[in-house]
Amino acid sequence: MKFVFIINPIAGKGQFQKELPKIIQGFCTNEKISWEIYITKSIHDALIFVKNYPKNQTVRFYAVGGDGTLNEVINGAMNHGNCEVGFFPCGSGNDFARIFQNPEYFLDLKRQLNATTHQIDLIKANHSYAINMCNMGLDAQTAADVHRFTKFMPGTMAYSVSLLNSLVHKMGFDATVTLDDEEVIKGTFILATFANGIAYGGGYYSAPKAEYDDGLMDVCLIQPVSRLIIAKLLNAYKNGQHLSDERFKKYMLYRRCKKVVVETTKPQMLCIDGEFITSAQNTMEIIPKAIPLLLPQGATIAKIT
């Protein structure tokens, strides 16, 4: 077994990544562990590195960075095969890690090297894979613009500022949403999330009941609502209270399914774990038990109430 650490040097503030190589070298040398460090040089570099990594040995790939780095490693691993995937969440948002209690365990090298594997689902979104969440509408535009603010403020605050900026522009897209080839929903929506994980945007819990290994995705569709109502409801949505808050009933559709097809009258941006494509037809489908995820020693699932 070889342990390969793919480090994004500019994720988050970059401080954790500066210290980690020395720790890896010392610990792995003492424990006689076969290891390798790869520093990414550009966008999609992690995906290409993992995809093309020699397949003649079993490998543990660790994504060291944010959700975007993890997404690239996951997509590379799905093209590689004989491997397991872990992650050190040190980006600006680290939303997939919010599934777990004690997220600091994911930054502990000893716990990571003693990790166990758990088969988890992925969302296949057109020709890519998402480990956490896909978004359309207001959320996607906000995510596309958030990099303008992350250099000045923490991830959650940056997302909130980007959201306020997006609210200035026209909201809403017309769509036909087909769930599991059975239920058809037609309407106008200001945002849509398709979730395997529970949060996005540095801590917006749009799918607080989602489970990453149940063979289902959680779909949340929000119909048009005034900016004043958004301001009143935003905090409840952010905290994952919208599923039980009566105020959301007339604006929200929430479903759980295996497959979603979204057809829009005009091409729309789809955010896939922070990666973006634009299309008038998007298909998202759960791939059950798609990949072995490494859970550091002691990591457990968080329960959102």
Side-chain angles (χ1 to χ4, degrees):
M1 174 79 71
K2 189 168 187 177
F3 295 71
V4 180
F5 301 86
I6 299 110
I7 300 177
N8 179 349
I10 62 172
K13 297 187 177 181
Q15 190 59 44
F16 177 79
Q17 300 93 302
K18 289 181 181 178
E19 303 295 330
L20 187 60
K22 285 184 182 178
I23 299 172
I24 292 171
Q25 182 177 7
F27 190 89
C28 291
T29 300
N30 288 339
E31 297 295 321
K32 297 180 171 54
I33 293 171
S34 178
W35 59 278
E36 179 180 347
I37 293 173
Y38 182 77
I39 309 296
T40 62
K41 304 171 183 64
S42 61
I43 190 169
H44 299 145
D45 192 22
L47 187 158
I48 294 168
F49 173 80
V50 173
K51 178 181 177 180
N52 295 327
Y53 198 84
K55 298 177 175 60
N56 58 356
Q57 59 183 317
T58 303
V59 183
R60 284 188 168 185
F61 291 111
Y62 284 97
V64 184
D67 291 325
T69 307
L70 176 58
N71 174 269
E72 287 195 29
V73 171
I74 285 290
N75 276 272
M78 289 297 287
N79 285 280
H80 181 279
N82 189 26
C83 64
E84 302 164 347
V85 173
F87 65 105
F88 288 74
C90 53
S92 57
N94 306 317
D95 286 303
F96 185 68
R98 296 175 192 275
I99 289 178
F100 304 96
Q101 294 181 18
N102 306 111
E104 67 273 13
Y105 288 178
F106 286 83
L107 300 178
D108 185 317
L109 180 63
K110 185 174 181 180
R111 287 182 181 275
Q112 285 278 23
L113 297 182
N114 287 296
T116 55
T117 58
H118 185 73
Q119 293 291 141
I120 69 164
D121 306 336
L122 296 176
I123 298 174
K124 187 174 184 180
N126 297 335
H127 302 296
S128 298
Y129 294 93
I131 189 172
N132 188 47
M133 198 169 299
C134 300
N135 314 84
M136 294 182 70
L138 185 60
D139 286 336
Q141 188 60 56
T142 299
D145 293 339
V146 73
H147 68 279
R148 296 164 52 188
F149 308 101
T150 50
K151 62 180 73 173
F152 305 113
M153 58 193 73
T156 304
M157 184 182 296
Y159 187 89
S160 296
V161 172
S162 183
L163 174 59
L164 291 173
N165 181 66
S166 297
L167 288 173
V168 175
H169 302 93
K170 182 179 178 181
M171 297 186 296
F173 60 95
D174 298 323
T176 299
V177 181
T178 304
L179 308 173
D180 287 336
D181 298 322
E182 295 176 353
E183 183 179 6
V184 178
I185 302 170
K186 294 185 179 182
T188 301
F189 308 98
I190 60 170
L191 66 84
T193 62
F194 312 91
N196 191 43
I198 60 177
Y200 67 99
Y204 280 73
Y205 289 86
S206 70
K209 302 296 185 182
E211 299 179 17
Y212 69 168
D213 59 358
D214 63 352
L216 297 168
M217 80 177 88
D218 286 37
V219 178
C220 183
L221 306 172
I222 303 293
Q223 297 169 322
V225 57
S226 72
R227 288 168 175 81
L228 180 60
I229 298 296
I230 289 175
K232 290 180 178 179
L233 298 182
L234 184 60
N235 195 56
Y237 177 77
K238 180 178 184 294
N239 293 327
Q241 298 167 346
H242 50 294
L243 301 189
S244 57
D245 192 324
E246 292 292 323
R247 295 176 298 170
F248 282 87
K249 278 194 172 180
K250 57 180 163 181
Y251 307 117
M252 181 181 70
L253 297 168
Y254 199 93
R255 301 287 191 272
R256 308 190 78 214
C257 62
K258 297 179 180 180
K259 180 182 177 183
V260 183
V261 178
V262 182
E263 299 170 282
T264 54
T265 53
K266 297 179 181 179
Q268 296 292 322
M269 185 186 301
L270 176 68
C271 177
I272 306 170
D273 284 350
E275 298 291 321
F276 301 92
I277 63 171
T278 300
S279 176
Q281 179 164 322
N282 294 287
T283 300
M284 284 146 283
E285 186 170 7
I286 279 284
I287 309 299
K289 308 292 188 288
I291 199 163
L293 182 73
L294 292 160
L295 301 185
Q297 188 177 42
T300 55
I301 301 295
K303 296 297 182 184
I304 307 299
T305 57

